[in-house]
Amino acid sequence: MFSRLCARGVALECRAATLAHSPPPGFGSWSFRFLHNSSVKPSSPTPLARGSTPVWSQTPRQKQLLWGPSRNLTFRAAAPRRAFDPRFFSSNAADVPASELPVLSPPAVGGWLLGSAALVFAVIVVGGVTRLTESGLSITEWRPITGMVPPLNRMEWEEEFEKYKATPEFKLLNHSISLDEFKDIFYMEWGHRVLGRLIGLGFVVPLAYFALRKRLTATLPKHLVGMALLIGAQGALGWYMVKSGLEDSLMETPGAVPRVSQYRLAAHLGTAFVLYAGMFGTGLSALMDWRYAKRGSWSGLTDGAQWKEVLANPNVKRFARNSKLLSGLVFLTALSGAFVAGLDAGLLYNEFPLMGGRLAPPADELFDPAYAKNADRSDIWWRNIFENPTTVQFDHRCLAIGTYVATAALYASTFNPVLRAALPPLAKRMATSAFAMANIQVLLGISTLLYLVPIPLAAMHQAGSVALLTTMIHLLVSLRKPGQAARVWRQALHSAKKTTH
């Protein structure tokens, strides 16, 4: 009955009034009050008795006599409640009456965010293939609306091909390709752009729906609006990146290769990773909050009330801190991969673990004075780190090895008896998953290098970096305390069950 009242969104208060004469034995006062998120009465309420008039359409006198002189039943619509009332998230939130519970995002919100994250995962992989097939410079204009439609006839294809013929890439590299070959690279870049637009639509439209329906927990709107803005900025950043490979100045630079700026490529990829992490982490958190509020489970523990004790444990705190540092290292390693791709650094030193028969290339090759642009060569360090293909590959190797060792160390720490007894089950599973994914990622990286960067292996290596980041985000979420709204709901439902029993 309690769940049915929740679904109807009706505030029901039933109280038994003691008669002045002969009250029934054991007949006391009792009440149930509950409100979900609506003060509107149901469109088709269940009648109280056959042929009776709905309570809200009766006169006050009729309401008094509904159950006779011994009892009265009253339906009262609760006052409208702000969906994001800050008092629900204060230190007194546990004292909020059940009729004024804060909004708790339903599983549909979490599912939508995880679906959006999956699309971002896909667009990252497609973007990597676009770069590997050298298709990214085939579309020379940015048309957010009309660009959704590709050329539909030969005249339109010829027009697009003529625009491409004016680019440095065609003049220096692809001057002999045919129209059919141009179509192949055009469709690759077009598909990448269309997928990006679909991500935007698939995020903004549901966001507006959930916000208007007041299905978002109070802390979510500002984060989700920030993600929506980041999606729009990502499209503009993508064009800013492509534009760097279309500049005519490349024709005047001796030995220049027509490709996009590695700085802009890293910014574009890094933004996609941030967007993915935000969507995936927020979606998981919403689902876990719902489970905690409704079932009382947390991070694999059936008794979710243990979360305070678990997170207060010094060993768990140290493990959580190390997990955050490792997540940052995973992100940094993936970002360094963008510089490797942007400079085609994977085509050098196709051996492992040595580089030219040595653990590291010569110092004068790692810090080549030719890359310095200042007269005093004060920029030799940072320019080699970001612009010298040899140094970029060496840095990526070092970061990758460091990430693998750190992941192995984090996994090994879970076998410490003290920590293992304190960690929640989900955290232990995610630590194991992260180490397993690190092994797969290392194998993919080495294979990509040894086989001279074949497209399938390189694409899988990029997807592996996202998968490794995914396991780390899941690990961090497993060590997150339940949201304030979920805690208020958990206490209210727990109290209501005690009352009914």
Side-chain angles (χ1 to χ4, degrees):
M1 175 179 178
F2 185 77
S3 60
R4 289 175 57 193
L5 293 176
C6 295
R8 287 183 176 277
V10 178
L12 173 61
E13 180 177 326
C14 302
R15 65 179 180 272
T18 306
L19 297 177
H21 58 280
S22 318
F27 189 82
S29 61
W30 55 279
S31 64
F32 290 96
R33 298 178 64 229
F34 191 83
L35 176 69
H36 181 33
N37 59 6
S38 172
S39 60
V40 182
K41 60 181 179 287
S43 56
S44 58
T46 304
L48 297 171
R50 186 175 300 176
S52 61
T53 307
V55 175
W56 44 76
S57 64
Q58 294 177 353
T59 65
R61 179 61 180 166
Q62 287 175 313
K63 293 177 183 179
Q64 290 180 1
L65 298 177
L66 181 60
W67 278 0
S70 61
R71 291 177 293 175
N72 57 58
L73 174 72
T74 60
F75 279 78
R76 182 177 65 191
R81 171 173 55 83
R82 289 181 294 168
F84 313 117
D85 194 333
R87 69 196 174 95
F88 297 135
F89 302 89
S90 67
S91 58
N92 299 321
D95 300 327
V96 175
S99 59
E100 297 180 351
L101 288 173
V103 175
L104 180 66
S105 298
V109 172
W112 155 62
L113 288 171
L114 292 182
S116 297
L119 288 176
V120 175
F121 191 122
V123 83
I124 290 174
V125 176
V126 172
V129 176
T130 301
R131 174 71 188 88
L132 290 165
T133 56
E134 298 182 347
S135 305
L137 300 177
S138 57
I139 301 179
T140 60
E141 297 173 327
W142 187 43
R143 295 173 296 174
I145 306 300
T146 58
M148 290 284 288
V149 182
L152 301 177
N153 53 56
R154 185 172 183 83
M155 183 180 298
E156 292 179 354
W157 276 113
E158 290 287 355
E159 183 180 348
E160 287 294 332
F161 195 25
E162 288 301 318
K163 294 176 184 177
Y164 178 68
K165 287 180 179 179
T167 65
E169 183 177 71
F170 177 83
K171 295 175 181 177
L172 295 177
L173 295 179
N174 294 337
H175 52 273
S176 61
I177 67 170
S178 64
L179 178 60
D180 289 336
E181 291 171 323
F182 170 71
K183 288 180 180 180
D184 292 336
I185 61 174
F186 181 95
Y187 275 125
M188 193 72 243
E189 171 66 7
W190 176 80
H192 181 57
R193 295 190 183 191
V194 169
L195 185 54
R197 291 174 174 90
L198 291 178
I199 291 172
L201 287 175
F203 188 83
V204 173
V205 174
L207 172 58
Y209 170 79
F210 286 125
L212 291 174
R213 297 283 296 174
K214 296 182 179 177
R215 293 293 187 268
L216 300 177
T217 304
T219 55
L220 278 185
K222 61 181 180 181
H223 296 145
L224 299 181
V225 169
M227 293 180 199
L229 294 176
L230 194 59
I231 292 174
Q234 180 72 327
L237 183 58
W239 168 244
Y240 180 64
M241 176 192 70
V242 171
K243 192 176 179 182
S244 66
L246 301 174
E247 297 174 354
D248 291 332
S249 59
L250 292 170
M251 300 293 297
E252 303 170 3
T253 305
V257 178
R259 57 189 174 206
V260 300
S261 163
Q262 70 271 24
Y263 296 104
R264 301 183 191 184
L265 176 61
H268 190 49
L269 180 63
T271 304
F273 270 87
V274 170
L275 194 59
Y276 173 80
M279 290 177 175
F280 185 75
T282 306
L284 276 182
S285 299
L287 292 177
M288 289 185 67
D289 279 354
W290 181 268
R291 293 192 194 104
Y292 175 76
K294 298 294 182 178
R295 305 175 191 169
S297 60
W298 173 79
S299 197
L301 293 173
T302 305
D303 182 11
Q306 300 179 40
W307 70 266
K308 289 183 180 180
E309 180 184 348
V310 171
L311 297 183
N313 188 300
N315 295 295
V316 175
K317 285 184 176 180
R318 189 181 308 110
F319 182 84
R321 184 168 57 252
N322 293 337
S323 298
K324 292 177 182 177
L325 293 174
L326 178 55
S327 299
L329 183 58
V330 169
F331 176 79
L332 184 61
T333 304
L335 203 59
S336 72
F339 286 90
V340 173
L343 293 171
D344 291 327
L347 298 176
L348 303 174
Y349 292 108
N350 300 104
E351 56 183 332
F352 189 86
L354 303 179
M355 296 182 71
R358 308 172 50 163
L359 288 176
D364 58 346
E365 187 176 347
L366 287 174
F367 297 99
D368 190 343
Y371 288 93
K373 294 186 178 180
N374 293 342
D376 59 354
R377 294 182 178 178
S378 59
D379 57 346
I380 186 173
W381 286 86
W382 72 265
R383 285 197 179 276
N384 273 276
I385 289 174
F386 294 113
E387 298 178 4
N388 183 344
T390 299
T391 311
V392 165
Q393 189 195 120
F394 179 73
D395 292 343
H396 187 61
R397 287 185 182 216
C398 292
L399 286 170
I401 293 172
T403 299
Y404 180 78
V405 171
T407 308
L410 187 74
Y411 170 66
S413 69
T414 63
F415 289 94
N416 182 303
V418 177
L419 179 60
R420 193 168 189 83
L423 279 177
L426 182 59
K428 288 182 281 190
R429 289 199 300 270
M430 286 303 105
T432 303
S433 299
F435 180 59
M437 193 61 235
N439 279 277
I440 295 173
Q441 180 67 343
V442 166
L443 291 175
L444 286 172
I446 295 174
S447 300
T448 301
L449 186 67
L450 296 180
Y451 289 97
L452 300 176
V453 196
I455 292 176
L457 275 177
M460 291 171 63
H461 185 50
Q462 181 155 326
S465 66
V466 186
L468 180 57
L469 182 63
T470 301
T471 60
M472 291 308 304
I473 295 171
H474 205 158
L475 175 58
L476 295 180
V477 173
S478 71
L479 296 172
R480 165 189 173 271
K481 66 181 181 181
Q484 186 68 42
R487 280 178 272 161
V488 174
W489 271 80
R490 178 70 255 163
Q491 181 171 356
L493 293 176
H494 184 66
S495 301
K497 287 180 181 179
K498 283 185 175 180
T499 304
T500 55
H501 292 299

